[in-house]
Amino acid sequence: MMVLGIISGVVFAFLILVLIRRQVKDSKERKTSSELILKRSFQPPSGKRTEKMIFQIYVLLAAWMMRKNAIKSFEKQSFVVVYINKKFNIDSLVIANELELVGETSIHVRSVANWVVQKMHEAQERADLIDFLIDLVFVDSELIDREFTALVRLGELIGVQSVYIEKRVIEYRKRIFGSSAGGERLHAIANGQTRRNMALAILDLGMSATEEEIKKSYRRLVKKFHPDLNRELNEEERREFAQRFLEIQDAYEELISN
C-alpha cells in the first residue's frame, strides 16, 4: 500500500528537512530551483504540461493546506517529501527545498486551481490530488473544520464533488478509529454545516437534498443494510453491513435533529 510505503520513509525525510533548514539558514542568497517564486507571489508558468508542473502543483497545495493547521508541521513536511518522491521520482532534497521556498510564497488557491484545471484534465487525476491532501491533513490523525472547508473549496474549484471528499474523510476516520468509533463519526468536526454535509454523504445525497429526499434515501438504505434482512451474508459481511447501518442511523438523526 502506498501509504505504508510513505510512512516507512518519514524518518529519512526528517533528516533531509533538517539538512535543508540548515542550508537555508546558513546561506545569504537563496535561488529558487523552479518557477514557483516570482516576487514572493505565485504565478502559474505558461506552456505545455510537464511532469515538473504537476509536481509543483502538489507542492503548492501541500504548503497551502499545511497553513490551515500547524499541528505536527514537521511530520507533515516529511510526509510530503516521501509521498512526492515516490509519486514523481524526484530527489528528496529538491522536494524539501521547494517546500521550504513555497512556505514563504503567497498562494492564491483560485489561481492554483485554475492551473490544475488547465493541466490536469482527467477527473481521476484531480481526485488523486484531493486524496493526497486528505492523506496529508490526517498525518496528525484528525481533521479540523478549517482543513475540511479548504478541501471542499478546492474541490469545487477543480471539479471534485464535495460528496466524494466527505466520503473519503469518513473512510479515513474509519481506518483510524475502527468500527468502534461508532457515533464519533460525526462528532469531531464542530461546525454544524460540515456535520450536515458528512451526514448527507453517508445517505448518498447532495448538499441541496430536501427533507423528503433525505427520508426516501434513509428508508432505501435501511432496507438494504438492516442486519435482520441480510442473514445470508457471511460473518465479515454482516459486520460491515451492521456498521453501515449504524452510520446511516447516525446520519439520519443528525439531519432530522437540525
Side-chain angles (χ1 to χ4, degrees):
M1 182 181 293
M2 185 175 186
V3 173
L4 294 177
I6 291 168
I7 293 174
S8 66
V10 165
V11 174
F12 176 64
F14 267 113
L15 297 176
I16 292 173
L17 287 170
V18 170
L19 176 61
I20 288 295
R21 287 183 172 183
R22 287 178 179 175
Q23 290 177 339
V24 169
K25 183 177 180 180
D26 294 341
S27 64
K28 295 182 179 180
E29 294 184 3
R30 299 174 58 193
K31 296 182 179 180
T32 63
S33 59
S34 73
E35 302 159 331
L36 290 179
I37 311 300
L38 293 174
K39 298 180 180 179
R40 296 187 179 181
S41 179
F42 164 73
Q43 297 178 25
S46 58
K48 295 183 179 180
R49 167 189 166 130
T50 64
E51 197 73 355
K52 181 179 179 181
M53 286 183 180
I54 307 304
F55 152 63
Q56 291 172 345
I57 286 172
Y58 270 73
V59 172
L60 275 165
L61 289 176
W64 173 72
M65 185 58 67
M66 284 190 289
R67 292 176 187 177
K68 308 300 179 185
N69 186 358
I71 294 177
K72 293 190 176 181
S73 59
F74 198 64
E75 289 89 337
K76 290 176 180 178
Q77 291 177 51
S78 301
F79 171 86
V80 171
V81 170
V82 178
Y83 188 106
I84 293 180
N85 170 262
K86 288 182 175 294
K87 184 174 181 66
F88 296 100
N89 195 29
I90 294 174
D91 186 88
S92 297
L93 286 171
V94 173
I95 301 168
N97 187 48
E98 292 288 340
L99 198 58
E100 187 78 22
L101 294 168
V102 171
E104 300 177 2
T105 306
S106 175
I107 301 172
H108 303 285
V109 69
R110 186 174 292 275
S111 297
V112 182
N114 290 337
W115 192 32
V116 170
V117 172
Q118 293 172 17
K119 303 303 179 184
M120 302 173 73
H121 298 217
E122 297 294 328
Q124 185 58 56
E125 190 175 20
R126 297 195 296 272
D128 290 343
L129 176 61
I130 290 291
D131 287 344
F132 158 68
L133 295 174
I134 293 174
D135 288 342
L136 172 60
V137 300
F138 273 105
V139 166
D140 61 7
S141 299
E142 194 46 276
L143 174 78
I144 64 172
D145 182 67
R146 189 179 182 192
E147 291 170 320
F148 184 85
T149 301
L151 285 168
V152 172
R153 180 189 178 201
L154 177 62
E156 291 174 348
L157 292 172
I158 66 175
V160 178
Q161 294 185 351
S162 60
V163 171
Y164 173 84
I165 296 171
E166 289 148 8
K167 285 185 175 180
R168 286 284 290 107
V169 168
I170 291 167
E171 291 168 1
Y172 216 116
R173 283 180 52 76
K174 185 175 181 180
R175 290 204 300 271
I176 292 174
F177 298 111
S179 299
S180 60
E184 292 181 341
R185 188 160 304 286
L186 298 177
H187 90 291
I189 302 176
N191 182 276
Q193 183 59 47
T194 298
R195 293 199 307 271
R196 174 179 169 80
N197 292 345
M198 294 179 71
L200 288 169
I202 290 172
L203 296 183
D204 295 331
L205 294 167
M207 288 188 289
S208 60
T210 64
E211 182 177 347
E212 181 59 32
E213 289 172 331
I214 291 170
K215 291 180 178 179
K216 183 178 180 180
S217 182
Y218 170 71
R219 290 192 294 266
R220 174 179 61 83
L221 292 172
V222 163
K223 290 180 181 179
K224 180 178 180 181
F225 291 100
H226 198 292
D228 293 341
L229 302 178
N230 293 282
R231 296 184 182 279
E232 75 283 359
L233 301 176
N234 61 43
E235 185 176 349
E236 182 177 354
E237 290 172 331
R238 283 177 62 82
R239 282 199 301 268
E240 291 179 359
F241 271 52
Q243 178 61 29
R244 181 79 166 97
F245 180 75
L246 291 175
E247 292 173 359
I248 292 165
Q249 295 282 18
D250 290 341
Y252 183 68
E253 290 175 8
E254 172 72 26
L255 294 170
I256 63 173
S257 64
N258 293 283

